[in-house]
Amino acid sequence: MRLFVRLLKNANPKIEYYSRFSPSPLSIKQFLDFGRENACEKTSYMFLRKELPVRLANTMREVNLLPDKLLGQPSVRLVQKWYMQSFVELLDFENRKPEDPHTLNDFLEILIDIRNRHNDVVPTMAQGVIEYKEKFGFDPFISSNIQYFLDRFYTNRISFRMLINQHTLLFGNDTNPAHPKHIGSIDPNCNVAEVVSDAYDTAKMLCEKYYLAAPELKIEEFNMKAQKKPIQAVYVPSHLFHMLFELFKNSMRATVELYENSNEGLPPVKARVTLGKEDLSIKISDKGGGVPLRKIDRLFNYMYSTAPTPSLEPGAVPLAGFGYGLPISRLYARYFQGDLKLYSMEGVGTDAVIYLKALSSESFERLPVFNKSAWRHYKTTPEADDWSNPSREPRDASKSTYKANR
């Protein structure tokens, strides 16, 4: 703890300095062009040694706007310590010349260390929110601020890892021999249906482990640009896999639990992949009973989960966990200007649609910026709702004493 306080004191002026800069969003095309045509390690180093501290400083300034009671939780303090340590390590390269024979290799090793240090940021921060909720309960205003912050915090983390992965894959020994044509973490010819199948197979294996059964998959493709040809995209397969895996887990869990005592067998999960002029869309449809409309927004709320809180045992992969699967999957979709939406019919099932940009030149990073607008979001007190507000649970009309005047 003393080391953290000392680091914080020494680094605070630098955090304030770097947070004055806005992050520089890149498009998938820019990532691709740099890695394919003029991948220069010195150029990447010169960009990252400033851009990474900028992105870290923006989120580190913003985390301090959270309630003190949340910041005081052990898990949240641990995450802050990781970020501070990474920021301080990056500052060591502030004035180091790329011509120094050791600089580029040292930088590469530090990036790998930082990436490994941040591996458990999502579950650790989730644990911090749980600690806070258990001690202090649920407050709608604070919950709204936590939702706003975590969307931005996790988006920043996705972008941070994207930059690190591109550098280490292009200039380190991280190259995956199974994907020699990838440019860093980007597949210039990502076969979308194959990623859909891979995500389904992984979720199916997990579902069968827990329930001893899993629904089958049916895939359809509609390629408006080149009919009857497989749909390909310039994208990050690991991001797409993450989104699809979460959607398949949810669909399988809902389907198996609804039909577990039925003799009809499990209805299949359907995937439809379409490519238009602007959008590449993937729809996952199930007949798992659906979700009431009033609960849809909750599914994207970090303070809400339909499943029991999972064990934090290392290596455990729960079929349903902290309730972070959907909100973080939506962040992955939005990161390159796409989106993820749910359309549900209670009593029937749910359609989940992933929207991605069809053109890599339009797939720019969507990054949070620490500024006065963000600051005001945390400081503005909630105002009275200007719409009528019924009770949270549906009213039982049969017990009502109200009688209409005739």
Side-chain angles (χ1 to χ4, degrees), residues 23-172:
S24 303
L26 301 173
S27 69
I28 290 182
K29 187 177 187 301
Q30 287 175 311
F31 278 117
L32 194 68
D33 289 347
F34 175 77
R36 180 185 269 165
E37 297 170 9
N38 57 347
C40 172
E41 190 171 2
K42 289 181 181 180
T43 304
S44 182
Y45 165 74
M46 294 297 287
F47 173 71
L48 291 183
R49 75 173 184 178
K50 181 178 180 182
E51 184 64 18
L52 291 176
V54 165
R55 296 192 186 193
L56 277 181
N58 270 260
T59 204
M60 290 167 77
R61 287 290 302 278
E62 192 161 334
V63 75
N64 288 324
L65 297 177
L66 291 172
D68 290 339
K69 291 177 181 177
L70 177 57
L71 293 176
Q73 301 311 307
S75 297
V76 177
R77 289 206 307 268
L78 180 58
V79 171
Q80 282 187 291
K81 182 180 176 183
W82 289 340
Y83 272 68
M84 178 58 69
Q85 188 174 346
S86 298
F87 183 80
V88 171
E89 287 175 356
L90 288 170
L91 289 182
D92 287 342
F93 295 90
E94 202 173 23
N95 299 309
R96 287 182 64 174
K97 305 284 185 184
E99 291 76 21
D100 183 314
H102 300 293
T103 296
L104 297 181
N105 189 60
D106 290 348
F107 187 68
L108 186 69
E109 290 180 358
I110 283 294
L111 290 187
I112 294 170
D113 288 343
I114 289 173
R115 183 179 61 198
N116 293 339
R117 180 182 302 126
H118 290 233
N119 277 343
D120 292 328
V121 161
V122 174
T124 306
M125 182 60 84
Q127 184 61 34
V129 173
I130 290 171
E131 292 164 358
Y132 170 82
K133 193 176 173 184
E134 287 177 347
K135 288 181 182 177
F136 304 104
F138 180 87
D139 178 279
F141 176 59
I142 291 176
S143 175
S144 172
N145 281 346
I146 290 173
Q147 181 74 20
Y148 176 79
F149 168 76
L150 289 178
D151 270 347
R152 294 162 63 82
F153 178 75
Y154 289 137
T155 299
N156 184 289
R157 178 180 181 271
I158 291 169
S159 78
F160 195 72
R161 292 181 78 83
M162 181 71 191
L163 292 181
I164 289 177
N165 286 338
Q166 283 303 105
H167 187 88
T168 57
L169 286 167
L170 288 173
F171 308 114

Side-chain angles (χ1 to χ4, degrees), residues 200 214-219 248 251-252 255-256 259 264-271 284-288 348-351:
Y200 165 78
E216 294 301 313
L217 172 68
K218 290 186 177 180
I219 302 180
F248 279 129
S251 290
M252 289 180 181
T255 301
V256 173
Y259 286 85
E264 299 177 18
L266 300 175
V269 174
K270 296 180 180 179
I284 307 298
S285 304
D286 67 61
K287 291 189 176 179
V348 181
T350 302
D351 290 346

